Amino acid sequence: MINKVALSPLLTLDLEDYYPKEEIVVFDFKPHLFMELILKEKDFRKALQLLDWEQYKNKLVTVTCSADAIIPMWAYMLVASYLQPVAADILYGDQQSVRNQLFLKRIDKIDMNQFADKKIVVKGCGDVTIGEFAYMEITKKLRPVAKSIMYGEPCSTVPIYKKK
C-alpha cells in the first residue's frame, strides 16, 4: 500500500502554530472610576499610585474599560506609563481582540520565502477555533508567492488559488 499523501509535494501550514496561547491579563478602568462611571483625575491618580503593579510583571496586559464611561486619552497614557516598566507588552482592547492582534502580528512575521512556488494546504481543523480574519490574512500573504493554496487536510482539500 502506498501513502500518496505522505509522498505529495504539499506543504501544510497550521495556523494553530501561530495562535497566541499565553495568558492575557486585563487592566480594567471600571473599578477605578467614581460610581464605576466617572473618572475623577485626583482619585484616579491616587488609585494608580496605590495599585500593586507587580501583578502585571512579565505579562501581556490588555487595557480596556468594561463600563460605559468616557475615558480621556491621557488616562490611557497614564496607565501605559505605569505598565510599561513591568509588563511584557501592553495592548488595547478586550482579551479576544488582543489575541487577534497578536495572532496577526505573528502571521505577518512568517517568512513567505519558504512557500515560494509551493503547493500549500492551510490546515482547516484543529483544537483551537481560528477566526476567519486569520484565514483571510494568510491567504493575502501566501497568494503572491505560492503556486497553489488549498484549505483543509492533505487528503481532502478545497482549492482556493492556483497560479496561472
Side-chain angles (χ1 to χ4, degrees), residues 2-10:
I2 298 172
N3 183 345
K4 291 184 179 182
V5 173
L7 297 175
S8 157
L10 298 176

Side-chain angles (χ1 to χ4, degrees), residues 7 27 39 46 90 122 150 156 161:
L7 297 175
F27 176 92
L39 189 142
K46 179 81 169 172
I90 312 161
V122 179
M150 293 160 273
S156 174
Y161 166 77

Side-chain angles (χ1 to χ4, degrees), residues 43-154:
D43 295 344
F44 182 66
R45 286 181 180 275
K46 179 81 169 172
L48 294 186
Q49 288 172 351
L50 297 175
L51 191 64
D52 176 17
W53 293 97
E54 288 300 306
Q55 65 183 310
Y56 301 106
K57 188 157 187 75
N58 299 322
K59 295 185 178 173
L60 292 173
V61 181
T62 179
V63 178
T64 191
C65 185
S66 61
D68 188 19
I70 297 171
I71 308 297
M73 292 304 151
W74 63 261
Y76 289 97
M77 295 170 68
L78 187 59
V79 168
S81 75
Y82 277 98
L83 285 169
Q84 193 274 328
V86 293
D89 199 0
I90 312 161
L91 298 140
Y92 170 80
D94 61 35
Q95 284 180 313
Q96 190 56 53
S97 69
V98 166
R99 199 169 303 288
N100 293 353
Q101 288 176 53
L102 292 170
F103 201 3
L104 289 173
K105 281 183 183 180
R106 290 177 182 174
I107 288 172
D108 193 49
K109 290 182 181 177
I110 297 172
D111 179 12
M112 288 295 125
N113 292 324
Q114 65 184 314
F115 301 111
D117 295 317
K118 302 275 194 301
K119 295 178 180 181
I120 312 300
V121 176
V122 179
K123 188 174 176 190
C125 298
D127 297 328
V128 176
T129 302
I130 307 292
E132 296 86 347
F133 72 96
Y135 289 99
M136 290 177 59
E137 192 64 26
I138 199 63
T139 303
K140 287 177 8 188
K141 298 226 5 123
L142 286 171
R143 191 179 181 283
V145 297
K147 186 174 186 176
S148 68
I149 305 169
M150 293 160 273
Y151 169 83
E153 300 296 325

